[in-house]
Amino acid sequence: MRSSESGLPIQPVYGPEALEGWDPRAKLGQPGEYPFTRGVYATMYTGRPWTMRQYAGFGTAVESNRRYHQLIEAGTMGLSVAFDLPTQMGYDSDDPIAHGEVGKVGVAIDSIEDMRVLFDGIPLDQVSTSMTINAPAALLLLLYQLVGEEQGVPSTKLTGTIQNDVLKEYIARGTYIYPPKQSLRLISDIFKYCKTEIPKWNTISISGYHMAEAGATPAQEIAFTLANGIEYVRAAIESGLDVDEFAPRLSFFFVARTTLLEEVAKFRAARRIWAWIMKERFGAKNPKSQMLRFHTQTAGVQLTAQQPEVNLIRVAVQALAAVLGGTQSLHTNSYDEAIALPTEKAARLALRTQQVLAFETDVTATVDPFAGSYAIESMTDELEAAIWELIDKVEDLGGAVAAIEKGFQKTEIEKSAYQIAQQIDSGERVVVGVNKYTLDEEEPYEPLRVDPAIEAQQAERLARLRKERDNDAVQRALDALRRAAQGTDNVLYPMKEALAAKATVGEVCNALRDVWGVYTPPDSF
């Protein structure tokens, strides 16, 4: 008997006995209704398909802007911005710690000038933009708002998402800046700011994707993500917000693996659990507060550098899993991403994968075609139980932050990752082209390369910016930000003033470092 990625048994045959005592009214309901197992909208894709996003950003803002225009011309429906590591960590491109990383894994954004270039010629009232940024999420959102204002776009018309999920950074990625308590305060300030200033913006994308990339099982991915979600909801309520004031703008971000059946069951279980948490635990009355709306990205960790064209098939299967699981938006990885940043052709092929699913198959013709399946419903119930068990463990440790400080989630994911590596090394887990069906000699491939001169160019731009701006105005704005951080005022208002005065991302983050300090990770659990 085979086991699922979460370690649950997969039966060779499922029949009516698998669902004995199973109540479809309680477990399923109708699409668009509590508990949202069948999807968050009544019509799902029968009216229009999911939002097709392509994640892009590399080198300079000029190069990334050029790629965005290409993607829009190819038919993408939403932009998704990747930032380089120094930007993700709140450092300027000329900071010594940024050396060698500028523009490597995303675009370098140091100030409002870079943000203007990044979205040059792109009407911000007509596109939806997702920004994969966490610790400095408030800064990038405010820069986007400032560029929108310069375009004459009212903030009430801006639509998109900031990832803004710092808790998973402590668990899986490491691009945190401030301690958890201060990070939660900043996130609550973002919730309050957007409620008033940018009401259509999705203020957080609570992410399981990066935990999955680090080795989390599907059950761990959902459990630890929803546990983080519980922590964010608690923090917002404790800051004085009513749950129905902010919960409709919460969104999530998950991975789609090649194990299609378990992934479909995972998404359905996640919707059902979150709906219960919001309604029963937090008393959310607005159905939109109970909906688990999520973006999906195909599994980068399952892409291989060997025989990279095989990744086209992997991505197609993963994308199908996301669609059958009811995702609201989707990014399909390019087949060459295991080697380097995707080429233009590879990025276009990734988008075409979604377009074939949406317009050449019949998966958009009916809502939740797996409803009532013996196998899928049984797997959904089993996953739901496994997810709840892990959520309860986190809660027993005092909640997500307390569990993070004890190293619980990180240790559990590392155990899973080690087990996967052992299975691949032994051949128990087949990876086509890696440990089976290999080639004696790989075909040559020329990856997209980032010009190393970018770092010097960004440093020159920063030197010119600091020379030409009103530095007294910048210092006054940064001092106001420090005072707000020391007290209880919303830090986004003075932060926006500082960025408008041409303070850099690094300077603004350093002002908060001066007050809040930085996070030092604990020893393992």
Side-chain angles (χ1 to χ4, degrees):
M1 183 187 299
R2 284 184 58 178
S3 294
S4 71
E5 293 287 295
S6 298
L8 303 171
I10 301 177
Q11 304 296 333
V13 178
Y14 288 87
E17 67 281 356
L19 299 181
E20 188 174 349
W22 184 80
D23 183 357
R25 289 171 297 181
K27 292 287 190 177
L28 291 181
Q30 293 298 315
E33 296 179 9
Y34 185 89
F36 301 103
T37 310
R38 302 197 64 192
V40 294
Y41 303 124
T43 57
M44 288 304 289
Y45 312 133
T46 59
R48 66 180 182 88
W50 57 94
T51 299
M52 300 179 194
R53 295 192 184 278
Q54 285 306 110
Y55 186 47
F58 60 94
T60 65
V62 170
E63 291 174 290
S64 293
N65 175 264
R66 189 179 303 122
R67 175 63 63 84
Y68 295 153
H69 281 282
Q70 291 167 350
L71 289 170
I72 290 170
E73 289 169 6
T76 193
M77 298 155 63
L79 299 176
S80 190
V81 185
F83 297 96
D84 72 354
L85 195 56
T87 304
Q88 293 182 48
M89 298 293 290
Y91 292 109
D92 290 331
S93 295
D94 61 354
D95 192 300
I97 201 170
H99 180 63
E101 293 293 338
V102 178
K104 286 291 179 66
V105 298
V107 62
I109 298 294
D110 291 317
S111 72
I112 190 171
E113 291 190 348
D114 290 326
M115 204 68 161
R116 285 187 192 120
V117 174
L118 185 65
F119 290 101
D120 182 47
I122 298 173
L124 299 189
D125 57 344
Q126 297 177 31
V127 299
S128 169
T129 302
S130 173
M131 292 187 278
T132 304
I133 193 74
N134 293 284
L139 284 76
L140 278 300
L141 173 61
L142 293 171
L143 289 172
Y144 190 85
Q145 182 187 17
L146 287 166
V147 170
E149 290 173 355
E150 291 177 355
Q151 289 187 3
V153 177
S155 297
T156 53
K157 290 191 175 181
L158 295 177
T159 60
T161 305
I162 42 171
Q163 192 161 104
N164 194 28
D165 176 14
V166 180
L167 292 182
K168 66 93 173 48
E169 297 296 323
Y170 304 117
I171 296 171
R173 282 190 79 234
T175 64
Y176 44 73
I177 301 177
Y178 318 111
K181 182 179 178 181
Q182 286 74 18
S183 294
L184 287 174
R185 183 261 176 95
L186 181 55
I187 288 167
S188 295
D189 280 357
I190 292 170
F191 288 175
K192 292 176 182 177
Y193 182 86
C194 287
K195 174 179 173 286
T196 303
E197 307 293 339
I198 319 177
K200 292 184 179 180
W201 199 267
N202 295 317
T203 50
I204 194 168
S205 178
I206 308 165
S207 175
Y209 181 88
H210 304 90
M211 290 186 266
E213 292 286 281
T217 66
Q220 290 172 338
E221 174 197 357
I222 299 301
F224 296 153
T225 303
L226 299 191
N228 287 350
I230 291 169
E231 197 81 22
Y232 291 130
V233 172
R234 282 196 192 116
I237 291 172
E238 288 171 5
S239 75
L241 288 170
D242 180 85
V243 65
D244 286 317
E245 287 183 314
F246 66 89
R249 304 315 303 171
L250 301 179
S251 64
F252 291 79
F253 175 25
F254 297 119
V255 77
R257 300 172 180 81
T258 52
T259 43
L260 186 147
L261 298 181
E262 185 178 15
E263 292 299 285
V264 172
K266 176 192 79 176
F267 294 131
R268 300 169 92 251
R271 276 193 296 270
R272 196 154 72 203
I273 293 170
W274 186 248
W276 189 93
I277 289 169
M278 294 305 291
K279 182 179 180 181
E280 304 299 334
R281 185 170 295 182
F282 291 111
K285 296 179 176 60
N286 185 346
K288 291 183 178 179
S289 300
Q290 303 162 7
M291 293 178 181
L292 184 134
R293 298 174 303 114
F294 63 93
H295 168 72
T296 309
Q297 182 172 337
T298 55
V301 73
Q302 291 187 321
L303 302 183
T304 64
Q306 301 92 330
Q307 302 181 43
E309 293 84 358
V310 177
N311 293 329
L312 286 164
I313 294 93
R314 292 188 177 102
V315 169
V317 172
Q318 294 162 0
L320 182 58
V323 171
L324 291 172
T327 192
Q328 275 60 72
S329 71
L330 177 62
H331 163 83
T332 33
N333 288 327
S334 300
Y335 72 89
D336 54 357
E337 286 188 45
I339 303 170
L341 290 167
T343 60
E344 180 185 344
K345 179 180 179 180
R348 186 171 60 249
L349 281 170
L351 177 60
R352 294 289 182 254
T353 302
Q354 296 199 49
Q355 291 165 338
V356 167
L357 289 176
F359 304 114
E360 293 191 20
T361 76
D362 57 2
V363 296
T364 61
T366 188
V367 177
D368 187 25
F370 274 130
S373 159
Y374 298 135
I376 293 296
E377 299 299 359
S378 180
M379 293 173 76
T380 300
D381 288 352
E382 289 174 357
L383 264 172
E384 182 180 8
I387 291 164
W388 270 119
E389 184 177 349
L390 284 168
I391 290 174
D392 290 342
K393 284 184 180 180
V394 172
E395 290 293 287
D396 289 344
L397 290 169
V401 169
I404 287 167
E405 290 171 343
K406 294 178 176 72
F408 171 67
Q409 301 97 318
K410 188 171 185 291
T411 301
E412 291 297 300
I413 292 170
E414 286 171 352
K415 289 177 184 175
S416 173
Y418 180 65
Q419 184 178 21
I420 292 169
Q422 285 184 310
Q423 290 171 348
I424 293 171
D425 288 345
S426 69
E428 179 185 349
R429 178 186 293 258
V430 173
V431 181
V432 174
V434 175
N435 62 6
K436 200 168 186 179
Y437 311 114
T438 58
L439 296 176
D440 293 332
E441 185 175 341
E442 293 285 337
E443 297 176 8
Y445 177 80
E446 185 59 36
L448 179 69
R449 301 187 187 279
V450 175
D451 187 349
I454 286 170
E455 188 171 329
Q457 293 167 7
Q458 285 296 110
E460 289 172 10
R461 285 172 62 83
L462 280 164
R464 186 168 61 251
L465 174 81
R466 294 189 182 109
K467 182 179 179 180
E468 295 174 353
R469 71 187 182 183
D470 184 341
N471 284 295
D472 289 338
V474 170
Q475 287 307 312
R476 287 194 299 272
L478 291 174
D479 288 341
L481 175 59
R482 291 186 184 94
R483 288 193 297 272
Q486 288 167 346
T488 58
D489 290 346
N490 193 315
V491 297
L492 268 73
Y493 290 96
M495 188 184 289
K496 184 184 178 188
E497 293 300 316
L499 293 167
K502 298 186 178 180
T504 68
V505 167
E507 289 166 345
V508 172
C509 288
N510 284 338
L512 293 179
R513 285 184 179 100
D514 292 342
V515 179
W516 291 344
V518 296
Y519 176 69
T520 302
D523 295 329
S524 294
F525 183 70

